[in-house]
């Protein structure tokens, strides 16, 4: 599939997954890939303090947009920020700070289930409509929360049948259920429990929210190992080549190779099991052995993502459940 | 060298163990390991889980949320029958809403007050959807189990959040909400001067009710009217819970992975607890890569390069000379890669260990499969509770 087409197949990508699978890394990677394909990108951090800016070697994000890389900007948009923003644009600028401090805001927003989430999504919808960037990528809350987050407009219930919040909800639902406007990219690692949870999340998202799921990203995959060797074989190789390898070092070489092989097999099994249980295209990103994840590493991952996306057939996704 | 606390000390002697850390590091597993080990030592142990993975939940006999612990058949966690007689193991999956309901029923003056609150729509939202309620109720459940008596060891899992500190900060949202002075002022319409003083708030409420509907505001006011008189009970209860957590018989164990973000979260958490004079007693780092010796990464990469050059020379000379050099180069590159990971992980772990003071420290390696049955829990336990484990951790 053409890379630029993939990156612009939706105006908003929501990156979701269980804690610890590398959502933030994948968000940064997707952004770098899209930027590389010539698109402008806005990353929105919903939970705050996610280390996303560090992936680009920049200081932490704030409510104002900041440049992270050429064609890539980022900002935070936490539920509290969205609520204050909403009040300020509805004539309550002067007292909004006092209301926050006194806790009255907290009380009211607790009164309407998911109100803050609806406001965050409403702001995202506003950014999408004003075309703040060619591609908007949301670094969503961790899996379980992602579901309540995306369910929020559906969960309004009887309490709020009319009025601005209700209208926001309707608009947000429209955006979420339109594949051309919004897609969810689920992220996991190739291990048993994360894979199980991803499958559950995927079915819930489709059944309860009706949002389009994009390719699934399997993160931190060990590259394919070479042929196995024993300690004796290693020492034989060394002799043949006329180099010295101590027994201790030979043991370490073999142990490291064995470890890699064992985990590689386990990982492949899990990634294949995921493919069997969830008929969505898969992209596998490598585990990077280097030091901290920064700009150069994100570029490597972006290049891998680009190659894999280009290898995907088109159109590359449909629904996983029969409507 | 000064003697610090060990995991042995904790599992044998502490009354309460709270497992903290970010989501995705294996907190629930560690909580289950502690409880199972406590039972194996002859203690009556219970574990409070929040959101266990399905297979672990099955192992613990948890198929539904519940308010009361479910005891696990001894033959499952002690198949060889070697645990002392007093050993018992129970588990529960926290039901946030019904724990809150129970609390309301306890502090209400009468059934009528309780009913008015429990049927209030605002209360229903807060008891399920307000962030921080789950953390608050986990501690409340811990206190209930403690008050009930009978349990020697109560192990509590904490909700999976991006930030470990949410566990300490989030419950305040609920207490602030219940304590909210503005709404309490509104409940006294007969005091005219108060009405004037809260003109700004009235204006705010009018605007908000245009946005969310008047019914919502009515629900909120009705809740606070119904809740009147219960604030003090709640406040005292919260204070008792905190006092219990501050006792020497309560222990905080931080669970982490070697990743930089998890380690940072663990460190922030330990520092924050230290500020309240509550020491973190244990630090467990899960999913650690093996060290594979102690060769420097650069040296190994240099060797790989030399061998790769040999390969190209051999290639030019044709024949099979290419294969051995290339195979050996690959092995060296692989070892260099894993040494690099190991070095980075140990660097992070040393950092957090330094901020953990005299805490017991244990590193649990990658296991070849997910941990969800009692055998696997026992395997993790071997990395925490044996003398060998303690020494290895002390050494570094």
């Amino acid at each position: 599939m053409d890379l630029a087409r993939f990156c612009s197949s939706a105006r908003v990508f929501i990156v979701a997954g269980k804690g610890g699978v590398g959502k933030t890394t994948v968000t940064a990677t997707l952004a770098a890939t899209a930027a590389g394909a010539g698109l402008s990108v806005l990353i929105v951090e919903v939970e705050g303090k996610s280390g996303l800016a560090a992936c680009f070697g920049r200081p932490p994000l704030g409510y104002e947009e900041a440049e992270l890389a050429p064609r890539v900007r980022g900002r935070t948009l936490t539920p509290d920020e969205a609520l204050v923003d909403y009040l300020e644009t509805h004539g309550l600028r002067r007292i909004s700070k006092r209301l926050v401090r006194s806790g009255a805001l907290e009380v009211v927003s607790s009164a309407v289930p998911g109100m803050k989430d609806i406001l965050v999504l409403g702001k995202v919808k506003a950014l999408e409509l004003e075309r703040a960037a060619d591609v908007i990528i949301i670094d969503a809350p961790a899996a379980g929360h992602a579901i309540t987050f995306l369910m929020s407009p559906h969960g309004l219930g009887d309490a709020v049948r009319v009025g601005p919040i209700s209208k926001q909800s309707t608009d947000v639902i429209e955006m979420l259920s339109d594949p051309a406007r919004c897609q969810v990219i689920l992220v996991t690692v190739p291990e048993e429990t994360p894979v199980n949870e991803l499958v559950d999340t995927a079915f819930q998202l489709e059944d309860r929210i009706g949002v389009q799921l994009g390719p699934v990203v399997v993160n931190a995959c060990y590259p394919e190992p070479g042929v196995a060797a024993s300690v004796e074989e290693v020492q034989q190789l060394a002799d043949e080549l006329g180099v010295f390898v101590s027994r201790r070092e030979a043991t370490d070489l073999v142990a490291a190779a064995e470890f890699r092989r064992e985990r590689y097999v386990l990982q492949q099994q899990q990634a294949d099991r995921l493919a069997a249980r969830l008929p969505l295209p898969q992209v596998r990103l490598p585990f990077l052995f280097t030091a901290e994840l920064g700009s150069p590493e994100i570029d490597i991952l972006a290049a891998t993502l680009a190659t894999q996306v280009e290898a995907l057939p088109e159109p590359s996704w449909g629904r996983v459940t029969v409507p | 060298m000064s003697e610090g606390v060990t995991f042995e000390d904790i599992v044998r002697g502490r009354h309460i163990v709270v497992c903290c850390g970010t989501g995705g590091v294996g907190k629930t597993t560690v909580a289950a390991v502690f409880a199972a080990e406590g039972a194996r030592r002859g203690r009556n142990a219970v574990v409070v889980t929040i959101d266990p993975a399905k297979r672990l939940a099955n192992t613990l006999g948890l198929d539904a949320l519940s308010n009361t612990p479910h005891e696990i058949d001894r033959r499952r966690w002690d198949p060889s029958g070697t645990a002392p007689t007093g050993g018992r193991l129970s588990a529960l999956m926290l039901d946030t809403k019904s724990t809150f309901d129970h609390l309301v029923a306890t502090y209400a003056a009468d059934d009528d007050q309780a009913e008015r609150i429990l049927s209030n729509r605002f209360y229903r939202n807060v008891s399920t959807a307000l962030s921080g309620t789950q953390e608050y109720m986990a501690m409340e459940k811990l206190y209930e189990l403690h008050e009930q008596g009978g349990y020697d060891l109560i192990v509590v899992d904490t909700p999976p959040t991006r930030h470990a500190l949410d566990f300490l900060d989030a419950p305040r949202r609920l207490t602030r909400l219940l304590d909210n002075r503005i709404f309490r002022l509104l409940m006294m319409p007969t005091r005219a001067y108060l009405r004037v003083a809260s003109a700004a708030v009235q204006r705010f409420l009018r605007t908000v009710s245009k946005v969310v509907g008047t019914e919502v505001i009515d629900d909120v006011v009705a809740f606070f009217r119904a809740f009147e008189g219960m604030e003090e009970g709640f406040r005292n209860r919260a204070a008792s819970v905190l006092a219990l957590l501050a006792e020497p018989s309560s222990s905080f164990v931080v669970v982490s992975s070697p990743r930089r973000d998890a380690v940072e979260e663990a460190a922030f958490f330990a520092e924050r607890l230290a500020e309240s004079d509550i020491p973190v007693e244990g630090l467990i780092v899960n999913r650690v890569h093996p060290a594979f010796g102690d060769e420097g990464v650069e040296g190994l990469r240099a060797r790989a390069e030399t061998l790769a050059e040999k390969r190209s020379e051999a290639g030019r000379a044709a024949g099979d000379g290419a294969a051995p050099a290339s195979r050996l180069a690959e092995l060296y590159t692989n070892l260099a890669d894993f040494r690099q990971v190991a070095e980075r992980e140990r660097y992070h772990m040393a950092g957090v260990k330094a901020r953990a003071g005299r805490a017991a420290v244990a590193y649990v390696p990658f296991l070849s499969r997910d941990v969800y049955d009692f055998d696997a829990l026992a395997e993790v336990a071997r990395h925490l509770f044996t003398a060998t484990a303690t020494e290895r951790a002390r050494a570094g």
Side-chain angles (χ1 to χ4, degrees):
Chain A
M1 172 165 223
D2 175 61
L3 187 63
R5 253 197 67 191
F6 165 74
C7 294
S8 51
S9 59
R11 298 213 280 259
V12 174
F13 285 97
I14 298 176
V15 179
K18 172 181 164 61
V21 298
K23 250 188 308 106
T24 302
T25 307
V26 170
T27 302
T29 302
L30 188 55
T33 306
L39 299 163
S40 65
V41 182
L42 173 64
I43 304 180
V44 177
E45 227 183 47
V46 167
E47 275 184 322
K49 297 196 286 172
S50 74
L52 183 79
C55 290
F56 293 97
R58 298 296 173 118
L61 293 176
Y63 197 66
E64 297 301 320
E65 286 182 19
E67 190 185 271
L68 294 172
R71 284 193 292 277
V72 180
R73 287 165 291 138
R75 61 168 292 175
T76 60
L77 180 58
T78 61
D80 285 342
E81 286 165 343
L83 183 51
V84 170
D85 185 277
Y86 186 87
L87 290 176
E88 292 185 348
T89 53
H90 286 77
L92 286 164
R93 175 179 296 279
R94 269 182 302 129
I95 59 171
S96 66
K97 283 201 169 54
R98 206 160 24 110
L99 291 167
V100 167
R101 263 202 315 269
S102 69
L105 216 55
E106 192 63 40
V107 173
V108 173
S109 57
S110 313
V112 180
M115 180 163 119
K116 290 199 224 176
D117 290 338
I118 293 170
L119 292 178
V120 168
L121 288 168
K123 184 82 186 164
V124 168
K125 177 211 62 169
L127 291 169
E128 180 239 355
L129 288 177
E130 77 188 49
R131 301 296 258 142
D134 296 327
V135 179
I136 299 171
I137 305 177
I138 315 292
D139 186 2
H145 292 159
I147 294 185
T148 39
F149 175 63
L150 294 173
M151 275 290 290
S152 59
H154 293 268
L156 262 196
D158 307 321
V160 187
R161 257 173 268 113
V162 293
I165 291 287
S166 179
K167 172 99 183 37
Q168 277 278 34
S169 290
T170 311
D171 290 348
V172 166
I173 290 173
E174 245 177 58
M175 177 185 73
L176 291 176
S177 33
D178 184 347
R181 293 172 72 189
C182 180
Q183 276 178 39
V184 172
I185 304 286
L186 291 169
V187 182
T188 187
V189 287
E191 289 169 29
E192 190 174 353
T193 301
V195 162
N196 289 341
E197 293 188 11
L198 184 139
V199 173
D200 284 345
T201 304
F203 282 111
Q204 281 199 62
L205 286 175
E206 263 207 4
D207 290 345
R208 298 171 72 185
I209 300 168
V211 68
Q212 178 72 58
L213 300 174
V216 166
V217 177
V218 182
N219 211 6
C221 298
Y222 283 5
E224 188 166 354
V227 184
S230 66
V231 173
E232 290 66 38
E233 279 179 77
V234 167
Q235 297 199 294
Q236 246 179 337
L237 283 174
D239 289 340
E240 268 182 60
L241 295 163
V243 297
F244 174 68
V245 176
S246 71
R247 184 159 186 93
R248 225 197 91 188
E249 199 158 86
T251 312
D252 289 338
L253 288 167
V254 167
E258 253 321 289
F259 181 81
R260 160 111 165 248
R261 163 179 321 288
E262 269 172 26
R263 289 211 60 82
Y264 175 80
V265 167
L266 285 172
Q267 288 178 349
Q268 291 298 301
Q269 278 171 359
Q270 290 306 326
D272 292 343
R273 193 170 71 91
L274 174 62
R277 292 187 64 191
L278 197 63
L280 284 173
Q282 249 186 47
V283 168
R284 298 183 189 184
L285 292 182
F287 178 84
L288 293 180
F289 292 87
T290 55
E292 301 314 327
L293 273 179
S295 248
E297 288 71 35
I298 296 297
D299 286 340
I300 295 173
L301 292 174
T304 311
L305 180 60
T307 312
Q308 295 213 18
V309 163
E310 280 165 350
L312 290 177
E314 35 185 315
S316 38
W317 48 82
R319 297 184 66 78
V320 298
T321 53
V322 178
Chain B
M1 188 166 70
S2 66
E3 287 292 305
V5 70
T6 65
F7 286 111
E8 273 286 328
D9 297 331
I10 296 174
V11 79
R12 250 187 315 147
R14 296 289 182 267
H15 176 45
I16 291 173
V17 175
V18 184
C19 297
C20 312
T22 55
V25 296
K27 272 188 297 185
T28 310
T29 308
V30 166
V33 168
F34 266 91
E37 190 66 19
R40 242 179 250 117
R41 304 303 175 98
R43 305 184 80 194
N44 185 0
V46 61
V47 60
V48 178
T49 66
I50 304 291
D51 190 15
K54 269 200 196 98
R55 301 185 79 156
L56 181 62
N58 281 338
T59 296
L60 298 175
L62 299 170
D63 50 14
L65 296 179
S66 121
N67 247 344
T68 46
H70 150 96
E71 186 161 354
I72 300 167
D73 191 308
R74 198 200 178 90
R75 285 163 299 183
R76 302 190 43 229
W77 56 267
D78 180 30
S80 54
T82 46
T85 345
R88 294 168 69 181
L89 180 60
S90 303
L92 78 80
M93 201 156 55
L94 183 73
D95 181 343
T96 304
K97 182 173 187 347
S98 76
T99 305
F100 205 158
D101 289 351
H102 181 75
L103 201 55
V104 167
T106 305
Y107 284 98
D110 50 42
D111 286 348
D112 182 59
Q113 186 180 27
E115 186 50 37
R116 276 159 61 211
I117 293 174
L118 296 180
S119 58
N120 178 278
R121 208 159 30 194
F122 172 64
Y123 167 75
R124 293 223 194 109
N125 295 335
V126 164
S127 65
T128 46
L130 180 67
S131 91
T133 303
Q134 204 174 42
E135 284 86 348
Y136 190 106
M137 292 310 145
M139 294 302 97
E140 168 53 38
K141 178 54 69 181
L142 173 158
Y143 192 79
E144 259 179 55
L145 293 171
H146 157 78
E147 263 200 321
Q148 198 172 304
Y151 292 109
D152 301 317
L153 175 62
I154 305 169
V155 185
V156 186
D157 186 14
T158 55
T161 50
R162 200 193 280 262
H163 306 298
L165 283 172
D166 282 350
F167 169 67
L168 294 175
D169 293 337
R172 240 170 275 150
R173 300 192 102 143
L174 182 58
T175 34
R176 260 186 16 175
L177 186 132
L178 294 177
D179 228 7
N180 197 273
R181 249 171 269 122
I182 292 187
F183 280 91
R184 298 219 319 265
L185 285 179
L186 285 174
M187 288 179 336
M188 297 175 268
T190 53
R191 300 197 200 174
Y193 73 94
L194 283 170
R195 259 204 306 233
V196 164
S198 61
V201 176
Q202 299 275 14
R203 200 168 60 237
F204 161 68
L205 285 179
R206 263 200 305 277
T207 309
V208 172
S209 62
K210 272 189 235 143
V211 168
V212 305
T214 46
E215 272 176 43
V216 169
I217 300 301
D218 289 346
D219 287 341
V220 174
V221 176
F223 169 78
F224 281 102
R225 287 219 171 99
F227 194 70
E228 193 171 9
M230 285 179 58
E231 309 93 334
E232 199 171 334
F234 262 75
R235 224 178 290 131
N236 291 340
R237 180 77 162 196
S240 307
V241 172
L242 287 175
L244 177 61
L245 291 174
E247 280 185 27
S249 57
S250 296
S251 185
F252 282 85
V253 170
V254 178
V255 185
S256 180
S257 78
R259 274 172 46 159
R260 180 183 59 185
D261 53 355
V263 153
E264 265 174 20
E265 289 295 323
F268 287 147
F269 192 87
E271 277 167 5
R272 175 74 79 81
L273 275 192
E275 279 165 27
S276 322
D277 278 326
I278 299 175
V280 161
E281 288 204 318
L283 170 66
I284 297 169
V285 185
N286 272 333
R287 306 156 62 81
V288 175
H289 279 86
F292 300 119
D294 54 14
E295 286 282 333
V297 175
E298 274 163 39
L300 291 169
R301 294 218 189 274
R303 281 213 91 172
E305 236 179 84
T306 319
L307 287 162
E309 275 160 27
K310 265 191 170 14
R311 184 194 61 184
S312 31
E313 281 165 25
R316 261 178 260 121
D320 283 331
S326 138
R327 281 194 70 196
L328 201 53
E330 197 176 57
L331 285 167
Y332 268 98
T333 303
N334 183 60
L335 180 60
D337 285 343
F338 279 106
R339 285 291 311 138
Q340 188 154 17
V341 169
E343 269 179 16
R344 179 168 87 241
E345 287 185 348
R346 273 140 192 85
Y347 170 73
H348 289 148
M349 296 186 313
V352 72
K353 185 175 168 188
R355 277 136 107 183
R358 295 169 71 224
V361 179
Y363 307 127
V364 181
F366 267 108
L367 299 175
S368 45
R369 60 185 181 87
D370 268 24
V371 179
Y372 51 74
D373 58 32
F374 282 109
D375 283 342
L377 291 176
E379 197 184 333
V380 174
R382 277 193 282 281
H383 291 273
L384 301 179
F385 302 114
T386 59
T388 344
T390 315
E391 255 139 56
R392 229 187 294 132
R394 284 235 190 88

